[in-house]
């Protein structure tokens, strides 16, 4: 177990050359808009829809895998973010769980690299700054056998947020990073 390298990429998650891409899905795993729609279109909507239907849905905070079909990625890990309802309904814990469970599923599959979108920051309404803090904070503190984690930002502001948070959050000294001030 170790601490994977975290890389920020601005772009489209469907073209990332990683072993697993994470999809910000809904509880029915039925496909939808945003990144979910892009992943379904790029992977092959009919095949992915059938594979998702066989999973029987997914509760918020959990993650389930399908093949990647026509994506460069071998697997798609579908996770369901929290719907933002003001922040007092456990949203933070559910979002952190999305990142942790996705990493765990990727490890079980034997993936060495994974790409995450900004889960819950679109239709689910999670404030982007807080969501980036949860994403970076959770990924920096979760041990894993993965080698590389890509944080895929669909826009410049999201990429800047990730970069700022990663610069401000030095890795713990035992991981070989710079000690904090
Ligand atoms: P949710 O329902 O979890 O809020 P959305 O798909 O609505 O999910 O939005 C999540 C994030 O994914 C948003 O920040 C959106 O800009 C981003 N996004 C949309 N399409 C893509 C894509 N093709 N690649 C990467 N990120 C994307």
């Amino acid at each position: 177990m170790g601490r994977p390298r975290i890389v920020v990429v601005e772009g489209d998650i469907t073209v990332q050359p990683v072993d697993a891409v994470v999809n910000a899905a809904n509880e029915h795993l039925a496909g939808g808009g945003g990144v979910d729609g892009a992943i379904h279109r790029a992977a092959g909507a009919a095949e992915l829809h059938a594979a998702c239907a066989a999973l029987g849905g997914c509760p918020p905070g959990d993650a389930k895998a399908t093949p990647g079909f026509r994506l460069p990625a071998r697997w798609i890990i579908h996770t369901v973010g929290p719907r933002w309802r003001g922040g007092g309904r456990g949203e933070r814990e559910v979002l952190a769980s999305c990142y942790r469970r996705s990493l765990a599923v990727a490890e079980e599959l034997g993936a060495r690299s994974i790409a995450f979108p900004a889960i819950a920051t679109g239709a689910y309404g999670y404030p982007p700054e807080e969501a980036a803090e949860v994403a970076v904070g959770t990924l920096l503190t979760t041990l894993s056998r993965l080698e590389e984690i890509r944080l895929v930002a669909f826009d410049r502001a999201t990429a800047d947020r990730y970069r700022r948070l990663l610069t401000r959050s030095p890795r713990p000294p035992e991981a070989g990073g710079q000690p904090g001030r």
Side-chain angles (χ1 to χ4, degrees):
M1 290 297 227
R3 294 181 194 276
R5 170 171 75 246
I6 301 180
V7 181
V8 178
V9 178
E10 194 181 332
D12 180 354
I13 201 166
T14 65
V15 302
Q16 300 299 315
V18 288
D19 294 335
V21 299
V22 175
N23 180 21
N26 56 58
E27 285 181 80
H28 309 291
L29 301 182
V35 71
D36 196 2
I39 287 175
H40 275 255
R41 281 191 297 278
E47 280 168 298
L48 183 52
H49 194 269
C52 283
L55 294 175
C58 182
D62 202 0
K64 295 186 178 182
T66 65
F69 298 107
R70 280 179 243 160
L71 294 187
R74 185 162 169 201
W75 297 288
I76 301 166
I77 298 174
H78 306 265
T79 191
V80 181
R83 283 195 168 77
W84 181 259
R85 291 188 287 169
R89 306 283 197 92
E91 290 96 329
R92 188 180 183 89
E93 190 42 52
V94 172
L95 185 58
S97 175
C98 288
Y99 286 92
R100 282 195 300 267
R101 284 289 304 138
S102 296
L103 290 177
V105 169
E107 259 185 42
E108 283 162 22
L109 292 166
R112 297 165 85 164
S113 55
I114 188 170
F116 282 97
I119 300 164
T121 63
Y124 279 15
Y126 209 112
E129 180 66 31
E130 279 95 325
E133 282 169 21
V134 174
V136 169
T138 305
L139 293 173
L140 281 174
T141 53
T142 305
L143 291 174
S144 151
R145 281 193 190 84
L146 291 160
E147 289 167 12
E148 181 174 305
I149 297 172
R150 288 187 180 213
L151 283 170
V152 181
F154 205 45
D155 54 75
R156 170 63 78 84
T158 304
D160 287 347
R161 248 179 237 117
Y162 287 147
R163 290 194 182 107
R164 178 170 39 76
L165 288 164
L166 283 164
T167 323
R168 270 203 205 152
S169 310
R171 301 190 145 213
E174 72 271 17
Q178 296 295 311
R181 274 169 288 174

